[in-house]
Amino acid sequence: MKIEITKRHLDALFKIIGDRVKVDSIIKRNEALGIETIASFDKEYPECFLEIGDEKPSVIFALGNLELLKAENKVAVIGARKADRNGNAAAYQLGAEYARKGCVVVSGLALGCDAAAHQGCLDAKGGTIAIVATGLDLTHPHENEPLQKAILRNGGLLISEQILGVKANPSRLVARNRLQAALSDPVVVAQCPEHSGTMYTVRFAQQYKKRVLAVKFPYSNDLSSGNNLLIETGQAEAIKI
């Protein structure tokens, strides 16, 4: 699938970048890397992003299998970077189980639960989408470069709203979280503490009226305190694995 770049695309990018020369350079580099430029007026633009109104990105960039965006069942499996062994195992198992059910597994390519969910999906021969907070010529964190390559090699997809060369920072990571929530239903928390970036995704999911599920562990510690809070306050449905 190849999206034809029109003047409307150039105008949309100019509103973001503010430099015509840089816009032309970005488009040429995108094409050289096989990155698709998808604006909100394109038929390939996800309907679920349009549904979040003013919070939608005007342009997204995609590398890999665009057909995954058409899948009816997309599930976000998310969690903390510093999850314990059980948390990572839960994320891996969820990624694999949802893949076997024919769902596309969405996550954020972070260390810990995100990486485990992507890997579980890949090992189950499923399709996975990584929504990232950098330009698609970069990998954040660097340690996950082999995983990023594996996602692309096995028919997965990378999505970003950031132009080439842009590095991740806290605000871009939070912005990335809203796209995970918008693209998926349900959003499943593998493991997280009460104060965690994962909770941003949960709040976006609640705002967008998505189901939220959380793994119920047979023990309680700081790393799973976010799961317990979500379940005990009725913000998430408890699941056992």
Side-chain angles (χ1 to χ4, degrees):
M1 185 184 301
K2 179 66 177 174
I3 298 171
E4 180 183 356
I5 299 299
T6 67
K7 185 178 181 300
R8 291 182 71 192
H9 292 88
L10 300 178
D11 290 343
L13 283 174
F14 179 71
K15 289 180 180 179
I16 299 171
I17 300 171
D19 184 323
R20 288 288 181 185
V21 174
K22 192 171 183 179
V23 167
D24 291 341
S25 175
I26 291 292
I27 289 296
K28 289 177 181 178
R29 291 177 62 199
N30 278 351
E31 291 177 343
L33 294 170
I35 296 170
E36 298 288 354
T37 303
I38 308 174
S40 58
F41 50 78
D42 286 315
K43 67 180 187 302
E44 293 85 1
Y45 189 90
E47 181 70 27
C48 55
F49 287 172
L50 293 175
E51 292 172 356
I52 64 176
D54 291 342
E55 292 187 348
K56 72 179 184 301
S58 57
V59 178
I60 60 172
F61 305 99
L63 181 61
N65 181 11
L66 289 181
E67 292 298 316
L68 294 182
L69 291 176
K70 300 178 183 178
E72 290 187 8
N73 300 313
K74 294 186 283 292
V75 180
V77 179
I78 60 173
R81 290 174 296 155
K82 296 182 179 180
D84 63 21
R85 181 176 62 182
N86 292 327
N88 286 329
Y92 179 92
Q93 183 174 334
L94 287 164
E97 288 181 353
Y98 280 117
R100 293 188 191 105
K101 293 176 181 178
C103 299
V104 170
V105 175
V106 177
S107 202
L109 202 71
L111 296 173
C113 289
D114 285 16
H118 286 304
Q119 191 63 58
C121 180
L122 291 175
D123 289 348
K125 310 301 182 186
T128 188
I129 298 175
I131 303 183
V132 301
T134 67
L136 293 182
D137 56 333
L138 303 175
T139 305
H140 178 81
H142 297 301
E143 297 94 319
N144 277 346
E145 185 175 356
L147 176 59
Q148 180 169 301
K149 290 179 178 178
I151 289 171
L152 293 173
R153 188 169 61 247
N154 290 279
L157 179 67
L158 304 179
I159 294 176
S160 178
E161 62 182 314
Q162 307 301 334
I163 63 172
L164 296 177
V166 171
K167 297 180 180 180
N169 64 21
S171 65
R172 291 175 189 136
L173 288 164
V174 171
R176 177 274 313 267
N177 291 347
R178 87 189 191 287
L179 299 183
Q180 292 182 61
L183 193 62
S184 312
D185 196 359
V187 170
V188 185
V189 178
Q191 185 185 52
C192 76
E194 289 186 27
H195 302 289
S196 167
T198 299
M199 288 299 194
Y200 284 105
T201 311
V202 169
R203 294 187 193 104
F204 285 122
Q206 293 168 335
Q207 179 182 337
Y208 302 153
K209 310 300 182 186
K210 306 297 182 79
R211 291 176 65 208
V212 179
L213 312 179
V215 174
K216 176 67 175 177
F217 290 95
Y219 62 89
S220 179
N221 63 19
D222 288 343
L223 291 174
S224 58
S225 60
N227 297 53
N228 295 336
L229 174 67
L230 292 171
I231 293 168
E232 291 169 2
T233 59
Q235 297 181 70
E237 302 172 37
I239 57 173
K240 294 181 179 181
I241 59 172

